[in-house]
């Protein structure tokens, strides 16, 4: 049976690509359980391959976005979960954080711009005591904390727009009180709403994609 043989080959290839760490094996066992459930139904071998590809693609997308935005894999997932709960879609959140990162880079390189004025107003330094530019994660939390000291709503809106863009700024503003509590608090809150996949597990899915390419 060609379909059955194709299914066996797909499962074997996926399994081999996951034999790096114990955590990877755990991820794959969960995936195989899902795949097996599909295989036992009417959808057959093609559905197994499709489901595996979607499962891997999701992990790869998270990993790529994490690298692009300069945000940790687990932190990114938590921010997305909390954003969605607050009515902010993933694409808008990604664009907002990307804009924040561009602003940070511009100020670090040129020392000018509207975001520079916002940082000065909030008394935020881009560099730590050792002279190294702070990470995006650290700066997001610091920005959120300092925004808590701004009472005037119009000024808050203007500062959020300078940081995250005119469209996203007002929406992100609503998320800042939780961000101000720190990223561990964000992760804890998000984990109560949805599952956060571990960074090692996401990297294992990246490895699977590389193996299948």
């Amino acid at each position: 049976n060609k379909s059955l043989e194709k299914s066996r080959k797909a499962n074997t290839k996926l399994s081999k690509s996951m034999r790096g760490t114990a955590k990877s094996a755990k991820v794959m066992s969960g995936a195989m359980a899902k795949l097996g459930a599909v295989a036992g139904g009417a959808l057959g071998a093609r559905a197994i391959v499709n489901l595996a590809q979607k499962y891997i693609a999701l992990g790869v997308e998270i990993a790529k976005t994490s690298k692009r935005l300069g945000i940790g894999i687990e932190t990114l997932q938590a921010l997305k979960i909390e954003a969605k709960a607050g009515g902010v879609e993933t694409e808008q959140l990604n664009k907002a954080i990307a804009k924040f990162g561009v602003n940070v880079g511009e100020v670090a390189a040129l020392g000018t711009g509207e975001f520079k004025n916002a940082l000065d107003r909030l008394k935020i330094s881009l560099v730590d005591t050792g002279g190294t530019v702070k990470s995006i994660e650290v700066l997001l939390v610091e920005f959120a904390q300092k925004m808590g000291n701004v009472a005037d709503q119009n000024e808050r809106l203007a500062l959020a727009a300078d940081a995250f863009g005119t469209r996203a700024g007002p929406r992100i503003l609503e998320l800042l009180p939780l961000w101000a509590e720190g990223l561990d608090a964000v992760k804890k809150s998000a984990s109560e709403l949805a599952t956060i996949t571990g960074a090692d597990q996401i990297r294992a899915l990246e490895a699977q994609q590389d193996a299948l390419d």
Side-chain angles (χ1 to χ4, degrees):
N1 187 305
K2 291 184 178 180
S3 295
L4 184 58
E5 182 61 26
K6 185 177 181 181
S7 172
R8 286 200 190 99
K9 287 182 178 179
N11 287 342
T12 299
K13 196 170 187 179
L14 285 170
S15 297
K16 285 182 178 179
S17 68
M18 291 297 291
R19 289 176 185 167
T21 65
K23 285 187 177 181
S24 297
K26 185 176 181 181
V27 173
M28 183 49 63
S29 66
M32 288 298 106
K34 293 179 182 178
L35 298 179
V38 175
L43 296 179
R46 183 176 296 276
I48 294 178
V49 175
N50 290 341
L51 182 58
Q53 290 173 339
K54 289 179 181 179
Y55 182 73
I56 294 170
L58 178 61
V60 170
E61 180 60 28
I62 291 172
K64 285 183 177 179
T65 305
S66 168
K67 292 173 185 175
R68 178 168 58 84
L69 298 181
I71 299 289
I73 287 173
E74 293 176 22
T75 298
L76 177 62
Q77 292 175 80
L79 291 174
K80 287 183 177 182
I81 292 167
E82 286 296 334
K84 197 166 186 64
V88 178
E89 293 301 320
T90 294
E91 183 178 358
Q92 189 171 38
L93 176 70
N94 289 347
K95 287 181 178 179
I97 296 177
K99 174 64 173 176
F100 187 87
V102 169
N103 285 335
V104 168
E106 184 178 79
V107 175
L110 304 176
T112 60
E114 292 182 357
F115 190 54
K116 173 66 165 57
N117 296 332
L119 293 174
D120 290 344
R121 164 65 181 86
L122 296 172
K123 294 181 172 58
I124 296 175
S125 173
L126 286 188
V127 298
D128 58 25
T129 55
T132 302
V133 176
K134 298 172 184 174
S135 71
I136 296 299
E137 290 188 4
V138 168
L139 288 168
L140 281 174
V141 172
E142 192 170 349
F143 183 86
Q145 291 171 340
K146 293 297 181 68
M147 283 287 283
N149 298 327
V150 180
D152 184 80
Q153 182 63 10
N154 288 330
E155 185 177 9
R156 286 169 57 80
L157 286 168
L159 290 168
D162 288 343
F164 303 107
T166 53
R167 283 192 174 185
R171 304 302 304 277
I172 298 299
L173 185 61
E174 300 173 13
L175 304 175
L176 296 186
L178 177 58
W179 294 10
E181 295 179 25
L183 296 180
D184 285 342
V186 175
K187 291 176 188 177
K188 184 177 184 299
S189 177
S191 66
E192 295 172 358
L193 299 175
T195 300
I196 296 176
T197 305
D200 287 347
Q201 296 170 337
I202 294 295
R203 293 189 187 100
L205 292 175
E206 266 195 302
Q208 286 182 57
Q209 183 64 65
D210 291 340
L212 293 172
D213 286 342

